[in-house]
Amino acid sequence: NIAEKIKKNGSLTLNAKAKFLNVTDLATEWRLPLSKSDTTFSATGSLGAMNATSLNSITEPLGMASIKKGSINNLVFDLRGNNYQGKGQTTLLYNDLAVSVLKMDDNDELKKRGLVSFLANTLIVNNNPKNGKTYTGEIDFERDIQKSFFNLLWKSIFAGVKNTVMRK
């Protein structure tokens, strides 16, 4: 917040490492603007290997999907954005992935959507890489400005992951 120093270097770089979901290592680098007029940011990171079902505590309430089986070998993301959007790419390496699509029932409980889950698993490519080719998911997410910066990060990365596993 010292004007002369902000003029010399207008961004904050933060390198952070953590245990993600108390299961695997997460390493990130954040570049955040210090000027009120600049809203551009970048966030890059990598996540280590884990059982894919460990992600259900996040994917069920926030993504309306339950992971039934699979293993995550690695996730790398590169995200750039501003107050209104996130763009970039993710590379998720995984094996033997199967999911259930969920919906909220009348009692506010999550229930499996049978036919939709069946269709989703026919669209999902259950391994990446597959046949020697590694697929990358594009991130192009428009922010709901009523929601937090961290919602933008999560939803952007989740969109990239979905684009990796449900390739067109």
Side-chain angles (χ1 to χ4, degrees), residues 46-66:
S46 63
L47 183 70
M50 65 191 296
N51 184 319
T53 61
S54 299
L55 294 170
N56 283 334
S57 63
I58 296 172
T59 61
E60 288 176 0
L62 299 176
M64 298 300 283
S66 179

Side-chain angles (χ1 to χ4, degrees), residues 15-156:
N15 290 292
K17 293 183 179 183
K19 204 59 134 168
F20 184 72
L21 298 175
N22 218 19
V23 174
T24 192
D25 293 330
L26 171 66
T28 62
E29 179 176 286
W30 307 55
R31 292 190 185 269
L32 305 169
L34 295 174
S35 168
K36 291 179 185 176
S37 62
D38 182 7
T39 65
T40 61
F41 71 89
S42 70
T44 59
S46 63
L47 183 70
M50 65 191 296
N51 184 319
T53 61
S54 299
L55 294 170
N56 283 334
S57 63
I58 296 172
T59 61
E60 288 176 0
L62 299 176
M64 298 300 283
S66 179
I67 300 170
K68 294 304 168 192
K69 67 177 182 166
S71 60
I72 304 296
N73 301 319
N74 183 277
L75 168 68
V76 176
F77 64 89
D78 183 0
L79 176 62
R80 310 225 179 276
N82 57 37
N83 277 345
Y84 305 103
Q85 66 181 353
K87 291 187 176 284
Q89 59 186 12
T90 62
T91 302
L92 176 67
L93 305 180
Y94 60 92
N95 297 98
D96 202 27
L97 188 64
V99 301
S100 290
V101 179
L102 305 173
K103 68 177 177 178
M104 193 69 70
D105 71 7
D106 295 334
N107 298 321
D108 289 333
E109 293 184 28
L110 292 174
K111 298 290 182 189
K112 178 181 174 181
R113 296 178 68 188
L115 179 59
V116 175
S117 295
F118 172 78
L119 292 172
N121 282 298
T122 61
L123 295 173
I124 286 175
V125 178
N126 60 354
N127 294 298
N128 190 27
K130 186 165 187 161
N131 299 326
K133 180 168 171 60
T134 300
Y135 295 90
T136 298
E138 292 300 313
I139 298 171
D140 187 2
F141 184 78
E142 295 294 319
R143 178 183 181 194
D144 177 347
I145 61 169
Q146 302 301 316
K147 299 199 175 172
S148 73
F149 171 73
F150 293 101
N151 180 271
L152 170 63
L153 290 175
W154 155 250
K155 294 285 190 163
S156 294

